[in-house]
């Protein structure tokens, strides 16, 4: 039985901590702008300095995603992206870089595909785990059993609205890291990532030894530095997607743009204030 790369994910986050910095976690959807183009973009982001990449599984009704990622998902879906393409994206990105690659997906596609099949294929592809923003912890036992069996992390999302007792329940069930949504609402770039996020990280850490990584709203090196001051990881998605959209079909320009942004953000998470 193949085993996934939860260990690699944990080691990568621990290494960043040992270097007295936050990890840079990038998000890009599979199949955007094409399957091959998406794989190339992930390699470029790793090349620029990302520590971990989340591969989005495009979904027609993405409740957590703002307009930028919805646009990218729509392009991927119209291009005919399938779960097999997501697995191939994970496999090729990990094989080329040796770095941890997770899948971020809503629950419905996994449920339809089959939990055992999905976890087995993700582990075989070298995946490190899954981020599951809409899977309630109390309904996650079967998923977690299969994920554990295949060496995959189960990353749950916590929000500023999560009460302390709820945080403890979520963090006890999760593995790899905790995804702290910096604000109520959907993904997208924001002017400020703010105090809500710092408070959420503090409250989450009080319940768990897992690394706490902050996403939603970080788009530049200044914000990355701000979040890196209190979080174990900084998650950036929409800003990378926007760079590819702005390249308007020029693949070389898009790859150069995401590589450059990764470099700026990687410098941001390393700046000790």
């Amino acid at each position: 039985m193949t085993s996934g790369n939860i260990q690699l994910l944990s080691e990568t986050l621990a290494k960043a901590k040992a270097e007295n910095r936050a990890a840079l976690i990038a998000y890009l959807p599979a199949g955007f702008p094409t399957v091959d183009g998406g794989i190339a973009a992930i390699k470029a982001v790793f090349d620029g300095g990302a520590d971990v990449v989340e591969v989005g599984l495009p979904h027609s009704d993405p409740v957590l995603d703002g307009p930028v990622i919805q646009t990218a998902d729509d392009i991927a879906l119209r291009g005919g992206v399938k779960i097999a393409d997501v697995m191939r994206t994970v496999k090729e990105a990990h094989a080329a870089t040796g770095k941890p690659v997770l899948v971020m997906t809503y629950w419905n596609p996994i449920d339809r595909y089959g939990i055992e099949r999905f976890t087995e294929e993700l582990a075989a592809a070298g995946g490190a785990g899954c981020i599951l923003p809409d899977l309630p912890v109390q309904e996650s036992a079967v998923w977690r059993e299969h994920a554990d069996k295949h060496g995959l992390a189960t990353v749950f999302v916590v929000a500023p609205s999560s009460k302390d007792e709820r945080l403890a329940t979520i963090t006890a069930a999760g593995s790899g890291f905790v995804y702290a949504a910096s604000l109520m609402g959907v993904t997208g770039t924001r002017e400020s990532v703010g105090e809500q996020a710092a408070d959420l990280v503090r409250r989450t850490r009080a319940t768990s030894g897992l690394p706490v990584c902050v996403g939603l709203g970080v788009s530049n090196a200044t914000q990355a530095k701000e979040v890196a001051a209190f979080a174990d990881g900084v998650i950036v998605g929409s800003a990378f997607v926007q760079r590819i959209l702005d390249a308007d079909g020029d693949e070389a320009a898009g790859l150069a743009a995401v590589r450059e942004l990764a470099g700026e953000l990687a410098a941001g998470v390393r700046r000790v204030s």
Side-chain angles (χ1 to χ4, degrees), residues 142-154:
V142 176
W143 161 267
R144 285 187 284 127
E145 180 190 326
H146 286 287
D148 290 348
K149 181 172 81 173
H150 288 293
L152 298 168
T154 298

Side-chain angles (χ1 to χ4, degrees), residues 93-109:
H94 171 66
T97 62
K99 294 188 176 174
V101 183
L102 299 117
V103 168
M104 184 163 187
T105 179
Y106 296 99
W107 182 245
N108 188 41

Side-chain angles (χ1 to χ4, degrees), residues 168-234:
T169 303
I170 293 170
T171 57
S175 56
F177 65 91
V178 181
Y179 187 126
S182 66
L183 38 84
M184 302 305 293
V186 297
T187 59
T189 60
R190 298 286 193 287
E191 291 303 310
S192 165
V193 183
E195 289 167 27
Q196 264 193 328
D199 178 61
L200 177 58
V201 170
R202 183 186 56 73
R203 292 194 299 117
T204 305
R205 279 197 181 132
T207 71
S208 170
L210 286 174
V212 184
C213 304
V214 171
L216 271 64
V218 180
S219 61
N220 59 46
T222 305
Q223 291 170 330
K225 181 185 177 186
E226 179 195 347
V227 174
F230 59 79
D232 298 298
V234 178

